[in-house]
Amino acid sequence: MDTHEGLAALTRAIRAEEDGKQLRKELAANLRAALRPGAAQAKSGIMAMSSAGLATAPALRASIARKIRPEVKLGGRWSGARVKAFKTKSLRHFPNAPRRTNRARGWRHPVWGNREVWVQQHGKVDWFDRAFQGREGVYRAAVEAAMENMARRIADRAG
């Protein structure tokens, strides 16, 4: 059974428990805690991006870093745990900043003060992806350990 199916089965088992709501909260907190080091790595990846040629107010890198966090969903159409860079809606009409700064071809935008001239700008290629390279197994093991601990607690109750 892979991790995704195991998480779905664990969520169903938690729902059957009397205090299932509290158990789900604990599992979600444990899964987020397991992924927090990965989110910190991704945040440091974007903060290491060069600011040469980037406008400074509001701070692009800091705005993107604030939107990186672990996401856990239990039940519904999708169950899982991942680190996600959410959209930066309030950032200078640039909601896709995390995605665009991560890709090799960069993004185009008009020059400030001259809407006729457009420029191509590049961020730090694969800053998000590189944060997890070589450490996927560590994060997967941490998530599986959190799931295993919760499954063990439920199994111990049943006797």
Side-chain angles (χ1 to χ4, degrees):
M1 182 180 299
D2 76 336
T3 306
H4 192 61
E5 292 171 1
L7 186 58
L10 183 58
T11 303
R12 285 191 300 275
I14 287 174
R15 234 182 251 132
E17 291 295 315
E18 188 175 310
D19 59 342
K21 190 173 184 179
Q22 182 61 32
L23 291 175
R24 278 180 61 165
K25 284 182 181 178
E26 286 180 37
L27 177 61
N30 291 342
L31 292 174
R32 276 192 295 276
L35 293 175
R36 216 166 269 132
Q41 281 292 113
K43 286 178 184 185
S44 69
I46 188 60
M47 293 305 287
M49 183 174 77
S50 171
S51 64
L54 295 175
T56 58
L60 176 66
R61 294 173 298 167
S63 296
I64 293 171
R66 274 194 302 275
K67 292 294 193 167
I68 298 171
R69 56 185 171 266
E71 178 187 40
V72 174
K73 288 187 179 180
L74 301 173
R77 300 180 91 186
W78 179 80
S79 290
R82 64 184 173 191
V83 175
K84 187 173 178 183
F86 291 88
K87 285 190 173 190
T88 53
K89 292 180 181 150
S90 62
L91 183 65
R92 299 183 304 226
H93 309 290
F94 194 18
N96 291 318
R99 180 177 294 161
R100 300 280 160 72
T101 56
N102 190 48
R103 70 181 184 192
R105 76 173 193 236
W107 67 97
R108 286 178 37 86
H109 63 88
V111 174
W112 189 83
N114 184 351
R115 294 295 186 191
E116 304 295 319
V117 179
W118 284 67
V119 294
Q120 182 75 19
Q121 194 161 357
H122 300 279
K124 184 178 179 190
V125 178
D126 291 338
W127 60 265
F128 188 82
D129 303 328
R130 286 184 185 152
F132 306 101
Q133 277 181 342
R135 300 192 47 83
E136 297 95 343
V138 172
Y139 301 126
R140 182 179 300 275
V143 166
E144 288 173 353
M147 290 170 48
E148 192 65 38
N149 289 340
M150 184 58 69
R152 195 174 303 111
R153 280 181 57 186
I154 292 172
D156 289 346
R157 286 179 174 189

